[in-house]
């Protein structure tokens, strides 16, 4: 509106500045969203890109999106299950269901099992072995699809958007009041009407820089998060984690890689110690006060609970 009024009063310089601010704001937001959509599309392409099915007695490879209920699918170690299915045959067939349930421990699958032992779900990964499954549900009808449907609702305003909306209303009220005062005082002093209108519009256009500044700040935040391998789909979400005070989660792999390993120990008798090593590899060391401590010199760390030599044992 400010740009249109400025053009109407034949003030191209002010109009150009206002349009430039709006253009920069729009371009930054669109570029960020396009980049994120490309990243999300690449991640989606990794989700069961193909499946081996048996149709008309012949084994063939088809896109996961072409799998339909009733298909016989062959699964093996490393395969992403393309759909919900019943297990017909299995040879040591554990499945990693952390993407669905958050549990890091794999679940052994077997035909005619009880509960979920006789079924596999879309999006889960076969840890080892091989088997044959009969597809029962695909897409939105699968367990993973039903979870995705729960996330279909539009997200509400973020804390930053709430604060900006409140600040914007206050700023708009103050700006309109100041414009009216400047226009009135100018006309009272006998200034030309056109000049005072341009002055009032210029004063009203000052807040136009606020969206650009906020957008650029959020874009920089999204860039830094991307450097740490965190994909931000919507710019306002960059600020949301900063408003979080408590995160309630578990330790089974929901927010981790699903591989549990101790990194820090504490005992009442001696205090803190750091553990170096990765996963279940048979190497590592225990560090206390900046020095490596062998197990023979750290009985408080090697003693198990309930043993007589364990800290706190009777």
């Amino acid at each position: 509106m400010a740009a249109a009024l400025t053009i109407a009063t034949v003030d191209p310089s002010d109009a150009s500045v206002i349009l430039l601010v709006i253009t920069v704001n729009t371009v930054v937001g669109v570029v960020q969203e396009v980049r994120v959509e490309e990243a999300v599309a690449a991640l989606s392409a990794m989700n069961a890109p193909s499946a081996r099915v048996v149709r008309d007695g012949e084994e063939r490879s088809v896109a996961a999106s072409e799998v339909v209920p009733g298909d016989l699918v062959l699964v093996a170690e490393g395969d992403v299950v393309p759909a919900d299915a019943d297990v017909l045959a299995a040879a040591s067939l554990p499945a990693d269901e952390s993407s669905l349930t958050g549990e890091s421990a794999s679940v052994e699958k077997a035909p005619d099992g009880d509960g979920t032992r006789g079924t596999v779900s879309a999006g889960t990964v076969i840890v080892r072995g091989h088997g044959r499954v009969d597809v029962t549900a695909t897409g939105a009808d699968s367990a993973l699809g039903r979870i995705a449907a729960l996330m279909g609702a539009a997200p509400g305003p973020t804390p930053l958007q709430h604060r900006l909306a409140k600040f914007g209303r206050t700023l708009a009220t103050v700006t309109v009041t100041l414009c009216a005062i400047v226009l009135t005082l100018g006309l009272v002093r006998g200034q030309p009407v056109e000049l005072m209108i341009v002055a009032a519009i210029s004063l009203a256009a000052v807040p136009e820089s606020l969206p650009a500044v906020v957008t650029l700040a959020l874009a920089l935040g999204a860039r830094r998060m991307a450097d740490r391998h965190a994909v931000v789909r919507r710019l306002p979400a960059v600020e949301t984690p900063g408003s979080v005070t408590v995160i309630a989660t578990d330790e089974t792999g929901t927010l981790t890689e699903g591989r549990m390993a101790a990194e820090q120990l504490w005992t009442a008798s001696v205090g803190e110690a750091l553990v170096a090593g990765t996963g279940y590899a048979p190497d590592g060391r225990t560090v206390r006060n900046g020095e490596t401590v062998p197990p023979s010199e750290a009985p408080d760390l090697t003693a198990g609970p309930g043993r007589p030599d364990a800290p706190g044992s009777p």
Side-chain angles (χ1 to χ4, degrees), residues 243-256:
S243 300
V244 174
T245 55
V246 177
I247 297 178
T249 183
D250 57 22
E251 73 289 347
T252 57
T254 306
L255 298 178
T256 67

Side-chain angles (χ1 to χ4, degrees), residues 171-221:
L171 188 60
T173 302
V174 173
T175 301
V176 171
T177 303
L178 290 177
C179 290
I181 293 174
V182 169
L183 179 61
T184 303
L185 291 176
L187 295 178
V188 169
R189 296 178 59 184
Q191 298 293 333
V193 176
E194 181 178 337
L195 176 62
M196 296 314 303
I197 291 178
V198 171
I201 293 175
S202 300
L203 183 60
V206 171
E208 286 292 337
S209 60
L210 179 62
V213 172
V214 173
T215 301
L216 289 173
L218 294 178
L220 290 175

Side-chain angles (χ1 to χ4, degrees), residues 96 98-99 102-105 229 250-261 263 278-280:
D96 179 1
S98 58
S99 62
E103 297 294 336
S104 58
H229 309 291
D250 57 22
E251 73 289 347
T252 57
T254 306
L255 298 178
T256 67
E257 296 179 350
R259 297 190 293 270
M260 305 304 297
E263 294 185 351
T278 303
Y280 300 104

Side-chain angles (χ1 to χ4, degrees), residues 113-212:
D114 56 334
T116 60
R117 287 178 54 81
T119 62
V120 290
S121 301
T124 59
V125 181
I126 303 301
V127 177
R128 62 178 179 272
H130 58 87
R132 303 168 63 186
V133 300
D134 179 29
V135 175
T136 57
T138 62
D141 295 328
S142 66
L144 198 62
R146 292 193 294 272
I147 293 175
L150 298 176
M151 302 173 61
T158 67
L160 177 63
Q161 290 174 320
H162 277 295
R163 291 194 295 268
L164 286 178
K166 183 178 180 180
F167 177 71
R169 288 191 294 268
T170 303
L171 188 60
T173 302
V174 173
T175 301
V176 171
T177 303
L178 290 177
C179 290
I181 293 174
V182 169
L183 179 61
T184 303
L185 291 176
L187 295 178
V188 169
R189 296 178 59 184
Q191 298 293 333
V193 176
E194 181 178 337
L195 176 62
M196 296 314 303
I197 291 178
V198 171
I201 293 175
S202 300
L203 183 60
V206 171
E208 286 292 337
S209 60
L210 179 62

Side-chain angles (χ1 to χ4, degrees), residues 29-172:
V30 170
V31 169
Q32 173 64 22
E33 290 188 7
V34 169
R35 288 180 178 176
V36 171
E37 290 299 330
E38 291 176 351
V40 172
L43 291 174
S44 299
M46 296 171 60
N47 185 19
S50 62
R52 292 178 298 148
V53 302
V54 177
R55 292 177 179 173
D56 300 326
E58 296 183 359
E59 180 183 335
R60 65 184 69 177
S61 180
V62 300
S65 58
E66 297 179 7
V67 174
V68 297
D71 271 340
L72 181 63
V73 178
L74 305 179
V75 293
E77 181 178 344
D79 287 348
V80 179
V81 180
D84 289 1
D86 293 329
V87 178
L88 301 180
S92 180
L93 193 70
D96 179 1
E97 299 182 335
S98 58
S99 62
L100 186 68
T101 65
E103 297 294 336
S104 58
S106 58
V107 180
E108 188 72 32
K109 300 297 180 179
D112 299 325
D114 56 334
T116 60
R117 287 178 54 81
T119 62
V120 290
S121 301
T124 59
V125 181
I126 303 301
V127 177
R128 62 178 179 272
H130 58 87
R132 303 168 63 186
V133 300
D134 179 29
V135 175
T136 57
T138 62
D141 295 328
S142 66
L144 198 62
R146 292 193 294 272
I147 293 175
L150 298 176
M151 302 173 61
T158 67
L160 177 63
Q161 290 174 320
H162 277 295
R163 291 194 295 268
L164 286 178
K166 183 178 180 180
F167 177 71
R169 288 191 294 268
T170 303
L171 188 60

Side-chain angles (χ1 to χ4, degrees), residues 256-304:
T256 67
E257 296 179 350
R259 297 190 293 270
M260 305 304 297
E263 294 185 351
Q264 186 174 359
L265 305 176
W266 185 88
T267 63
S269 59
V270 181
E272 182 180 297
L274 302 179
V275 180
T278 303
Y280 300 104
D283 58 348
R285 58 196 181 96
T286 304
V287 179
R288 174 173 278 165
N289 297 326
E291 297 181 357
T292 300
V293 181
S296 59
E297 298 180 10
D300 60 316
L301 299 180
T302 58

